Amino acid sequence: MSTRRAAIAWLSAALLAVSGCNRGAPESPRQNPSTDPHAAHQKSSAGSAAARRAPNLSATPAPGLAPSGMVWIPGGEFWMGCDECGMPDALPVHLVSVAGFWMDPTPVTNSEFDRFVRATSYVTIAERKPDPREFPGAPPDTLVPGSIVFTPPARPVSLDDFSRWWSYVPGANWRHPGGPASTLEGMDTHPVVHIAFEDALAYAKWAGKRLPSEAEFEFAARGGQDRTLYPWGNELRPGGRVPANIWEGHFPDANSRADGYFTTSPVTAFPANPYGLHDVGGNVWQWCADWYRPDYYASFPDPNAAARNPGGPDSSVDPDEPGAQKRVTRGGSFLCSGDYCSRYLVGSRGKAEISSGSSNLGFRLAKSAE
């Protein structure tokens, strides 16, 4: 059952697919929020990674002038995944080699998506009325266009019940990210959200680009840094600064906005990584081309032999939601927190059902070298 279908049917369990995070065991050590919640991971990871050889980071020069607005990602080897951080789907850490490619420096913005819609008259999945044949037994008054929106509860709640902070909101879509009464006023440079996989593919075709593979995204997000925790290094808040748009405070009821934002932020609000990429950790989740399987990393026969340009598994399997077709998402979002979902960690993974969008899900594009 798809996330959108389940949300319309008021099945709160299906909200798993838009959170980008897994139920069950904590994803990071529960420490004092004033400290780095991954300090224990940083220490243990350094030990487990010490025996691994350094990857070959020799840069491939750009093959020519950059496509308009894109930056060159030089390719090379890297250790893909996340050691000892409580995320089984990010294990085992394995050596990967990717070829050089071009990438957008930011997620696609509202103004960019608006130009696409004006040029093509495209209608996103969230704006389409659900087909009653796909929702047998659903009350007719629930079969209305909409999407899934984060709505914080007024007080602390159990983190086992996603419906306490996720809701299917009729009328929510990329033009109205918080619901029908919301607008994009002042948000031209914010990332477009409520984007389903099909929507991202349609934009990519129009733009003459493609979605990045999961391996490409992680390599680019690391910016040439070997085995760091975050796209910006090994400290969650270097020099006391908040380096990305992530959840600050007690999730999901209290956001201190120490980073300056409650939901999305302008795509260049925070510093770029060494490759010139913004928002590769925080702000919005971003679609990758790969199907999602939690056991995919275990399929590499020798984790010490570099897998070249892996493109993901042939199909999707997610035991948390059998039957749902999911693709990988990367980068975390403004909802990621050390209390609950710490997937701003650069080696961590997200997932989303392909026919669904949400208020923290967008995309960026890549282009192969000619």
Side-chain angles (χ1 to χ4, degrees), residues 140-173:
D141 61 348
T142 66
L143 296 178
V144 295
S147 190
I148 300 167
V149 176
F150 171 74
T151 306
R155 58 187 62 84
V157 296
S158 169
L159 297 181
D160 293 329
D161 184 359
F162 300 93
S163 68
R164 303 299 294 270
W165 59 88
W166 284 115
S167 301
Y168 186 82
V169 177
N173 55 54

PDB file of all heavy atoms in Angstrom, residues 140-173:
ATOM      1  N   PRO A 140     -15.582   8.507  -0.030  1.00  0.00           N
ATOM      2  CA  PRO A 140     -15.384   9.448  -1.143  1.00  0.00           C
ATOM      3  C   PRO A 140     -14.859  10.807  -0.717  1.00  0.00           C
ATOM      4  O   PRO A 140     -14.094  11.437  -1.449  1.00  0.00           O
ATOM      5  CB  PRO A 140     -16.791   9.564  -1.752  1.00  0.00           C
ATOM      6  CG  PRO A 140     -17.456   8.277  -1.392  1.00  0.00           C
ATOM      7  CD  PRO A 140     -16.938   7.920  -0.038  1.00  0.00           C
ATOM      8  N   ASP A 141     -15.250  11.267   0.482  1.00  0.00           N
ATOM      9  CA  ASP A 141     -14.805  12.601   0.891  1.00  0.00           C
ATOM     10  C   ASP A 141     -13.329  12.652   1.263  1.00  0.00           C
ATOM     11  O   ASP A 141     -12.771  13.733   1.482  1.00  0.00           O
ATOM     12  CB  ASP A 141     -15.659  13.127   2.046  1.00  0.00           C
ATOM     13  CG  ASP A 141     -15.589  12.254   3.288  1.00  0.00           C
ATOM     14  OD1 ASP A 141     -15.069  11.126   3.199  1.00  0.00           O
ATOM     15  OD2 ASP A 141     -16.055  12.705   4.350  1.00  0.00           O
ATOM     16  N   THR A 142     -12.682  11.474   1.338  1.00  0.00           N
ATOM     17  CA  THR A 142     -11.241  11.479   1.599  1.00  0.00           C
ATOM     18  C   THR A 142     -10.425  11.467   0.318  1.00  0.00           C
ATOM     19  O   THR A 142      -9.213  11.664   0.358  1.00  0.00           O
ATOM     20  CB  THR A 142     -10.827  10.257   2.454  1.00  0.00           C
ATOM     21  OG1 THR A 142     -11.025   9.055   1.699  1.00  0.00           O
ATOM     22  CG2 THR A 142     -11.639  10.198   3.736  1.00  0.00           C
ATOM     23  N   LEU A 143     -11.083  11.208  -0.821  1.00  0.00           N
ATOM     24  CA  LEU A 143     -10.362  11.104  -2.093  1.00  0.00           C
ATOM     25  C   LEU A 143     -10.214  12.490  -2.713  1.00  0.00           C
ATOM     26  O   LEU A 143     -10.843  12.838  -3.714  1.00  0.00           O
ATOM     27  CB  LEU A 143     -11.081  10.148  -3.028  1.00  0.00           C
ATOM     28  CG  LEU A 143     -11.152   8.702  -2.540  1.00  0.00           C
ATOM     29  CD1 LEU A 143     -11.918   7.828  -3.508  1.00  0.00           C
ATOM     30  CD2 LEU A 143      -9.752   8.152  -2.328  1.00  0.00           C
ATOM     31  N   VAL A 144      -9.382  13.279  -2.097  1.00  0.00           N
ATOM     32  CA  VAL A 144      -9.143  14.642  -2.546  1.00  0.00           C
ATOM     33  C   VAL A 144      -7.638  14.853  -2.688  1.00  0.00           C
ATOM     34  O   VAL A 144      -6.839  14.202  -2.011  1.00  0.00           O
ATOM     35  CB  VAL A 144      -9.730  15.665  -1.551  1.00  0.00           C
ATOM     36  CG1 VAL A 144     -11.245  15.553  -1.494  1.00  0.00           C
ATOM     37  CG2 VAL A 144      -9.133  15.477  -0.163  1.00  0.00           C
ATOM     38  N   PRO A 145      -7.235  15.744  -3.591  1.00  0.00           N
ATOM     39  CA  PRO A 145      -5.805  16.011  -3.731  1.00  0.00           C
ATOM     40  C   PRO A 145      -5.219  16.530  -2.423  1.00  0.00           C
ATOM     41  O   PRO A 145      -5.870  17.245  -1.657  1.00  0.00           O
ATOM     42  CB  PRO A 145      -5.747  17.088  -4.819  1.00  0.00           C
ATOM     43  CG  PRO A 145      -7.035  16.951  -5.559  1.00  0.00           C
ATOM     44  CD  PRO A 145      -8.044  16.521  -4.535  1.00  0.00           C
ATOM     45  N   GLY A 146      -3.986  16.167  -2.158  1.00  0.00           N
ATOM     46  CA  GLY A 146      -3.322  16.625  -0.942  1.00  0.00           C
ATOM     47  C   GLY A 146      -1.988  15.939  -0.767  1.00  0.00           C
ATOM     48  O   GLY A 146      -1.542  15.173  -1.620  1.00  0.00           O
ATOM     49  N   SER A 147      -1.368  16.201   0.354  1.00  0.00           N
ATOM     50  CA  SER A 147      -0.068  15.615   0.641  1.00  0.00           C
ATOM     51  C   SER A 147       0.130  15.576   2.148  1.00  0.00           C
ATOM     52  O   SER A 147      -0.746  15.972   2.918  1.00  0.00           O
ATOM     53  CB  SER A 147       1.044  16.423  -0.046  1.00  0.00           C
ATOM     54  OG  SER A 147       2.285  15.753   0.026  1.00  0.00           O
ATOM     55  N   ILE A 148       1.297  15.109   2.550  1.00  0.00           N
ATOM     56  CA  ILE A 148       1.573  14.849   3.958  1.00  0.00           C
ATOM     57  C   ILE A 148       2.405  15.991   4.527  1.00  0.00           C
ATOM     58  O   ILE A 148       3.433  16.371   3.976  1.00  0.00           O
ATOM     59  CB  ILE A 148       2.272  13.495   4.109  1.00  0.00           C
ATOM     60  CG1 ILE A 148       1.353  12.398   3.566  1.00  0.00           C
ATOM     61  CG2 ILE A 148       2.613  13.210   5.567  1.00  0.00           C
ATOM     62  CD1 ILE A 148       2.025  11.075   3.359  1.00  0.00           C
ATOM     63  N   VAL A 149       1.930  16.547   5.641  1.00  0.00           N
ATOM     64  CA  VAL A 149       2.500  17.767   6.209  1.00  0.00           C
ATOM     65  C   VAL A 149       2.905  17.523   7.654  1.00  0.00           C
ATOM     66  O   VAL A 149       2.164  16.885   8.423  1.00  0.00           O
ATOM     67  CB  VAL A 149       1.480  18.922   6.142  1.00  0.00           C
ATOM     68  CG1 VAL A 149       2.023  20.180   6.811  1.00  0.00           C
ATOM     69  CG2 VAL A 149       1.104  19.217   4.688  1.00  0.00           C
ATOM     70  N   PHE A 150       4.060  18.039   8.021  1.00  0.00           N
ATOM     71  CA  PHE A 150       4.495  18.003   9.411  1.00  0.00           C
ATOM     72  C   PHE A 150       3.725  19.047  10.204  1.00  0.00           C
ATOM     73  O   PHE A 150       3.694  20.220   9.852  1.00  0.00           O
ATOM     74  CB  PHE A 150       5.995  18.291   9.515  1.00  0.00           C
ATOM     75  CG  PHE A 150       6.469  18.470  10.932  1.00  0.00           C
ATOM     76  CD1 PHE A 150       6.606  17.380  11.780  1.00  0.00           C
ATOM     77  CD2 PHE A 150       6.765  19.740  11.425  1.00  0.00           C
ATOM     78  CE1 PHE A 150       7.027  17.545  13.086  1.00  0.00           C
ATOM     79  CE2 PHE A 150       7.201  19.915  12.719  1.00  0.00           C
ATOM     80  CZ  PHE A 150       7.331  18.818  13.561  1.00  0.00           C
ATOM     81  N   THR A 151       3.102  18.588  11.302  1.00  0.00           N
ATOM     82  CA  THR A 151       2.373  19.481  12.203  1.00  0.00           C
ATOM     83  C   THR A 151       2.809  19.149  13.622  1.00  0.00           C
ATOM     84  O   THR A 151       2.481  18.081  14.142  1.00  0.00           O
ATOM     85  CB  THR A 151       0.851  19.292  12.075  1.00  0.00           C
ATOM     86  OG1 THR A 151       0.484  19.440  10.703  1.00  0.00           O
ATOM     87  CG2 THR A 151       0.111  20.307  12.921  1.00  0.00           C
ATOM     88  N   PRO A 152       3.570  20.030  14.270  1.00  0.00           N
ATOM     89  CA  PRO A 152       4.106  19.683  15.595  1.00  0.00           C
ATOM     90  C   PRO A 152       3.013  19.584  16.650  1.00  0.00           C
ATOM     91  O   PRO A 152       2.075  20.384  16.670  1.00  0.00           O
ATOM     92  CB  PRO A 152       5.052  20.848  15.895  1.00  0.00           C
ATOM     93  CG  PRO A 152       4.513  21.988  15.099  1.00  0.00           C
ATOM     94  CD  PRO A 152       3.961  21.386  13.853  1.00  0.00           C
ATOM     95  N   PRO A 153       3.087  18.604  17.531  1.00  0.00           N
ATOM     96  CA  PRO A 153       2.145  18.527  18.640  1.00  0.00           C
ATOM     97  C   PRO A 153       2.428  19.614  19.666  1.00  0.00           C
ATOM     98  O   PRO A 153       3.515  20.197  19.690  1.00  0.00           O
ATOM     99  CB  PRO A 153       2.399  17.129  19.227  1.00  0.00           C
ATOM    100  CG  PRO A 153       3.831  16.854  18.881  1.00  0.00           C
ATOM    101  CD  PRO A 153       4.082  17.513  17.556  1.00  0.00           C
ATOM    102  N   ALA A 154       1.459  19.873  20.514  1.00  0.00           N
ATOM    103  CA  ALA A 154       1.596  20.951  21.496  1.00  0.00           C
ATOM    104  C   ALA A 154       2.457  20.559  22.683  1.00  0.00           C
ATOM    105  O   ALA A 154       2.901  21.421  23.444  1.00  0.00           O
ATOM    106  CB  ALA A 154       0.217  21.388  21.972  1.00  0.00           C
ATOM    107  N   ARG A 155       2.688  19.266  22.836  1.00  0.00           N
ATOM    108  CA  ARG A 155       3.439  18.779  24.005  1.00  0.00           C
ATOM    109  C   ARG A 155       4.235  17.534  23.611  1.00  0.00           C
ATOM    110  O   ARG A 155       3.988  16.970  22.549  1.00  0.00           O
ATOM    111  CB  ARG A 155       2.489  18.470  25.160  1.00  0.00           C
ATOM    112  CG  ARG A 155       1.431  17.438  24.815  1.00  0.00           C
ATOM    113  CD  ARG A 155       0.422  17.287  25.938  1.00  0.00           C
ATOM    114  NE  ARG A 155      -0.294  18.527  26.165  1.00  0.00           N
ATOM    115  CZ  ARG A 155      -1.374  18.912  25.460  1.00  0.00           C
ATOM    116  NH1 ARG A 155      -1.824  18.134  24.475  1.00  0.00           N
ATOM    117  NH2 ARG A 155      -1.979  20.030  25.727  1.00  0.00           N
ATOM    118  N   PRO A 156       5.173  17.090  24.436  1.00  0.00           N
ATOM    119  CA  PRO A 156       5.920  15.869  24.117  1.00  0.00           C
ATOM    120  C   PRO A 156       4.996  14.674  23.900  1.00  0.00           C
ATOM    121  O   PRO A 156       3.986  14.527  24.602  1.00  0.00           O
ATOM    122  CB  PRO A 156       6.813  15.675  25.346  1.00  0.00           C
ATOM    123  CG  PRO A 156       6.982  17.048  25.906  1.00  0.00           C
ATOM    124  CD  PRO A 156       5.663  17.738  25.676  1.00  0.00           C
ATOM    125  N   VAL A 157       5.337  13.847  22.908  1.00  0.00           N
ATOM    126  CA  VAL A 157       4.536  12.669  22.588  1.00  0.00           C
ATOM    127  C   VAL A 157       5.465  11.483  22.388  1.00  0.00           C
ATOM    128  O   VAL A 157       6.678  11.639  22.226  1.00  0.00           O
ATOM    129  CB  VAL A 157       3.696  12.893  21.315  1.00  0.00           C
ATOM    130  CG1 VAL A 157       2.676  14.002  21.507  1.00  0.00           C
ATOM    131  CG2 VAL A 157       4.588  13.185  20.111  1.00  0.00           C
ATOM    132  N   SER A 158       4.884  10.294  22.399  1.00  0.00           N
ATOM    133  CA  SER A 158       5.660   9.103  22.126  1.00  0.00           C
ATOM    134  C   SER A 158       6.191   9.144  20.702  1.00  0.00           C
ATOM    135  O   SER A 158       5.479   9.509  19.755  1.00  0.00           O
ATOM    136  CB  SER A 158       4.788   7.856  22.313  1.00  0.00           C
ATOM    137  OG  SER A 158       5.447   6.710  21.809  1.00  0.00           O
ATOM    138  N   LEU A 159       7.439   8.750  20.527  1.00  0.00           N
ATOM    139  CA  LEU A 159       8.038   8.729  19.196  1.00  0.00           C
ATOM    140  C   LEU A 159       7.688   7.458  18.426  1.00  0.00           C
ATOM    141  O   LEU A 159       8.190   7.242  17.323  1.00  0.00           O
ATOM    142  CB  LEU A 159       9.556   8.865  19.312  1.00  0.00           C
ATOM    143  CG  LEU A 159      10.050  10.184  19.927  1.00  0.00           C
ATOM    144  CD1 LEU A 159      11.578  10.217  19.960  1.00  0.00           C
ATOM    145  CD2 LEU A 159       9.507  11.381  19.171  1.00  0.00           C
ATOM    146  N   ASP A 160       6.811   6.634  18.983  1.00  0.00           N
ATOM    147  CA  ASP A 160       6.385   5.417  18.304  1.00  0.00           C
ATOM    148  C   ASP A 160       5.160   5.635  17.421  1.00  0.00           C
ATOM    149  O   ASP A 160       4.745   4.722  16.712  1.00  0.00           O
ATOM    150  CB  ASP A 160       6.061   4.315  19.326  1.00  0.00           C
ATOM    151  CG  ASP A 160       7.296   3.848  20.077  1.00  0.00           C
ATOM    152  OD1 ASP A 160       8.383   3.888  19.473  1.00  0.00           O
ATOM    153  OD2 ASP A 160       7.172   3.486  21.261  1.00  0.00           O
ATOM    154  N   ASP A 161       4.563   6.828  17.478  1.00  0.00           N
ATOM    155  CA  ASP A 161       3.314   7.082  16.758  1.00  0.00           C
ATOM    156  C   ASP A 161       3.503   8.261  15.811  1.00  0.00           C
ATOM    157  O   ASP A 161       3.379   9.420  16.196  1.00  0.00           O
ATOM    158  CB  ASP A 161       2.181   7.371  17.749  1.00  0.00           C
ATOM    159  CG  ASP A 161       0.836   7.548  17.069  1.00  0.00           C
ATOM    160  OD1 ASP A 161       0.778   7.470  15.820  1.00  0.00           O
ATOM    161  OD2 ASP A 161      -0.165   7.781  17.776  1.00  0.00           O
ATOM    162  N   PHE A 162       3.777   7.982  14.531  1.00  0.00           N
ATOM    163  CA  PHE A 162       4.056   9.024  13.544  1.00  0.00           C
ATOM    164  C   PHE A 162       2.873   9.945  13.307  1.00  0.00           C
ATOM    165  O   PHE A 162       3.040  11.090  12.896  1.00  0.00           O
ATOM    166  CB  PHE A 162       4.464   8.383  12.217  1.00  0.00           C
ATOM    167  CG  PHE A 162       5.680   7.524  12.308  1.00  0.00           C
ATOM    168  CD1 PHE A 162       5.579   6.159  12.525  1.00  0.00           C
ATOM    169  CD2 PHE A 162       6.936   8.075  12.185  1.00  0.00           C
ATOM    170  CE1 PHE A 162       6.700   5.366  12.613  1.00  0.00           C
ATOM    171  CE2 PHE A 162       8.071   7.294  12.272  1.00  0.00           C
ATOM    172  CZ  PHE A 162       7.964   5.933  12.488  1.00  0.00           C
ATOM    173  N   SER A 163       1.666   9.446  13.546  1.00  0.00           N
ATOM    174  CA  SER A 163       0.486  10.266  13.275  1.00  0.00           C
ATOM    175  C   SER A 163       0.374  11.446  14.230  1.00  0.00           C
ATOM    176  O   SER A 163      -0.444  12.341  14.001  1.00  0.00           O
ATOM    177  CB  SER A 163      -0.782   9.416  13.369  1.00  0.00           C
ATOM    178  OG  SER A 163      -1.019   8.994  14.702  1.00  0.00           O
ATOM    179  N   ARG A 164       1.200  11.483  15.265  1.00  0.00           N
ATOM    180  CA  ARG A 164       1.164  12.618  16.185  1.00  0.00           C
ATOM    181  C   ARG A 164       1.810  13.858  15.571  1.00  0.00           C
ATOM    182  O   ARG A 164       1.617  14.964  16.058  1.00  0.00           O
ATOM    183  CB  ARG A 164       1.862  12.264  17.509  1.00  0.00           C
ATOM    184  CG  ARG A 164       1.296  11.050  18.217  1.00  0.00           C
ATOM    185  CD  ARG A 164      -0.160  11.227  18.599  1.00  0.00           C
ATOM    186  NE  ARG A 164      -0.341  12.260  19.580  1.00  0.00           N
ATOM    187  CZ  ARG A 164      -0.315  12.059  20.892  1.00  0.00           C
ATOM    188  NH1 ARG A 164      -0.088  10.850  21.377  1.00  0.00           N
ATOM    189  NH2 ARG A 164      -0.529  13.057  21.731  1.00  0.00           N
ATOM    190  N   TRP A 165       2.602  13.669  14.520  1.00  0.00           N
ATOM    191  CA  TRP A 165       3.210  14.851  13.884  1.00  0.00           C
ATOM    192  C   TRP A 165       3.104  14.863  12.358  1.00  0.00           C
ATOM    193  O   TRP A 165       3.468  15.837  11.728  1.00  0.00           O
ATOM    194  CB  TRP A 165       4.662  15.028  14.312  1.00  0.00           C
ATOM    195  CG  TRP A 165       5.592  13.896  14.008  1.00  0.00           C
ATOM    196  CD1 TRP A 165       6.305  13.701  12.855  1.00  0.00           C
ATOM    197  CD2 TRP A 165       5.935  12.800  14.869  1.00  0.00           C
ATOM    198  NE1 TRP A 165       7.067  12.568  12.940  1.00  0.00           N
ATOM    199  CE2 TRP A 165       6.878  11.989  14.170  1.00  0.00           C
ATOM    200  CE3 TRP A 165       5.566  12.428  16.167  1.00  0.00           C
ATOM    201  CZ2 TRP A 165       7.421  10.835  14.721  1.00  0.00           C
ATOM    202  CZ3 TRP A 165       6.107  11.278  16.719  1.00  0.00           C
ATOM    203  CH2 TRP A 165       7.014  10.497  15.992  1.00  0.00           C
ATOM    204  N   TRP A 166       2.615  13.797  11.746  1.00  0.00           N
ATOM    205  CA  TRP A 166       2.368  13.784  10.304  1.00  0.00           C
ATOM    206  C   TRP A 166       0.871  13.700  10.043  1.00  0.00           C
ATOM    207  O   TRP A 166       0.166  12.910  10.683  1.00  0.00           O
ATOM    208  CB  TRP A 166       3.027  12.581   9.642  1.00  0.00           C
ATOM    209  CG  TRP A 166       4.512  12.651   9.454  1.00  0.00           C
ATOM    210  CD1 TRP A 166       5.456  11.871  10.043  1.00  0.00           C
ATOM    211  CD2 TRP A 166       5.228  13.543   8.598  1.00  0.00           C
ATOM    212  NE1 TRP A 166       6.711  12.217   9.615  1.00  0.00           N
ATOM    213  CE2 TRP A 166       6.608  13.241   8.726  1.00  0.00           C
ATOM    214  CE3 TRP A 166       4.850  14.573   7.729  1.00  0.00           C
ATOM    215  CZ2 TRP A 166       7.589  13.931   8.024  1.00  0.00           C
ATOM    216  CZ3 TRP A 166       5.839  15.253   7.031  1.00  0.00           C
ATOM    217  CH2 TRP A 166       7.187  14.930   7.181  1.00  0.00           C
ATOM    218  N   SER A 167       0.384  14.477   9.078  1.00  0.00           N
ATOM    219  CA  SER A 167      -1.035  14.454   8.718  1.00  0.00           C
ATOM    220  C   SER A 167      -1.190  14.560   7.207  1.00  0.00           C
ATOM    221  O   SER A 167      -0.438  15.301   6.551  1.00  0.00           O
ATOM    222  CB  SER A 167      -1.789  15.630   9.359  1.00  0.00           C
ATOM    223  OG  SER A 167      -1.695  15.609  10.760  1.00  0.00           O
ATOM    224  N   TYR A 168      -2.158  13.827   6.674  1.00  0.00           N
ATOM    225  CA  TYR A 168      -2.533  14.024   5.272  1.00  0.00           C
ATOM    226  C   TYR A 168      -3.425  15.246   5.208  1.00  0.00           C
ATOM    227  O   TYR A 168      -4.504  15.281   5.805  1.00  0.00           O
ATOM    228  CB  TYR A 168      -3.254  12.797   4.714  1.00  0.00           C
ATOM    229  CG  TYR A 168      -3.536  12.908   3.234  1.00  0.00           C
ATOM    230  CD1 TYR A 168      -2.555  12.604   2.302  1.00  0.00           C
ATOM    231  CD2 TYR A 168      -4.769  13.337   2.771  1.00  0.00           C
ATOM    232  CE1 TYR A 168      -2.805  12.717   0.939  1.00  0.00           C
ATOM    233  CE2 TYR A 168      -5.033  13.452   1.415  1.00  0.00           C
ATOM    234  CZ  TYR A 168      -4.044  13.147   0.501  1.00  0.00           C
ATOM    235  OH  TYR A 168      -4.288  13.263  -0.841  1.00  0.00           O
ATOM    236  N   VAL A 169      -2.971  16.286   4.496  1.00  0.00           N
ATOM    237  CA  VAL A 169      -3.679  17.564   4.472  1.00  0.00           C
ATOM    238  C   VAL A 169      -4.245  17.806   3.077  1.00  0.00           C
ATOM    239  O   VAL A 169      -3.485  18.012   2.120  1.00  0.00           O
ATOM    240  CB  VAL A 169      -2.738  18.720   4.871  1.00  0.00           C
ATOM    241  CG1 VAL A 169      -3.461  20.065   4.762  1.00  0.00           C
ATOM    242  CG2 VAL A 169      -2.211  18.503   6.284  1.00  0.00           C
ATOM    243  N   PRO A 170      -5.559  17.783   2.913  1.00  0.00           N
ATOM    244  CA  PRO A 170      -6.144  18.129   1.619  1.00  0.00           C
ATOM    245  C   PRO A 170      -5.718  19.535   1.190  1.00  0.00           C
ATOM    246  O   PRO A 170      -5.722  20.464   1.987  1.00  0.00           O
ATOM    247  CB  PRO A 170      -7.654  18.062   1.893  1.00  0.00           C
ATOM    248  CG  PRO A 170      -7.790  17.096   3.035  1.00  0.00           C
ATOM    249  CD  PRO A 170      -6.584  17.363   3.897  1.00  0.00           C
ATOM    250  N   GLY A 171      -5.324  19.645  -0.070  1.00  0.00           N
ATOM    251  CA  GLY A 171      -4.917  20.944  -0.581  1.00  0.00           C
ATOM    252  C   GLY A 171      -3.456  21.269  -0.397  1.00  0.00           C
ATOM    253  O   GLY A 171      -2.977  22.298  -0.900  1.00  0.00           O
ATOM    254  N   ALA A 172      -2.703  20.421   0.308  1.00  0.00           N
ATOM    255  CA  ALA A 172      -1.261  20.644   0.444  1.00  0.00           C
ATOM    256  C   ALA A 172      -0.562  20.179  -0.829  1.00  0.00           C
ATOM    257  O   ALA A 172      -0.843  19.098  -1.343  1.00  0.00           O
ATOM    258  CB  ALA A 172      -0.715  19.898   1.652  1.00  0.00           C
ATOM    259  N   ASN A 173       0.326  20.999  -1.345  1.00  0.00           N
ATOM    260  CA  ASN A 173       1.122  20.651  -2.523  1.00  0.00           C
ATOM    261  C   ASN A 173       2.284  21.627  -2.612  1.00  0.00           C
ATOM    262  O   ASN A 173       2.508  22.419  -1.701  1.00  0.00           O
ATOM    263  CB  ASN A 173       0.262  20.651  -3.801  1.00  0.00           C
ATOM    264  CG  ASN A 173      -0.471  21.963  -4.021  1.00  0.00           C
ATOM    265  OD1 ASN A 173       0.149  23.037  -4.046  1.00  0.00           O
ATOM    266  ND2 ASN A 173      -1.788  21.893  -4.174  1.00  0.00           N
TER     267      ASN A 173
END
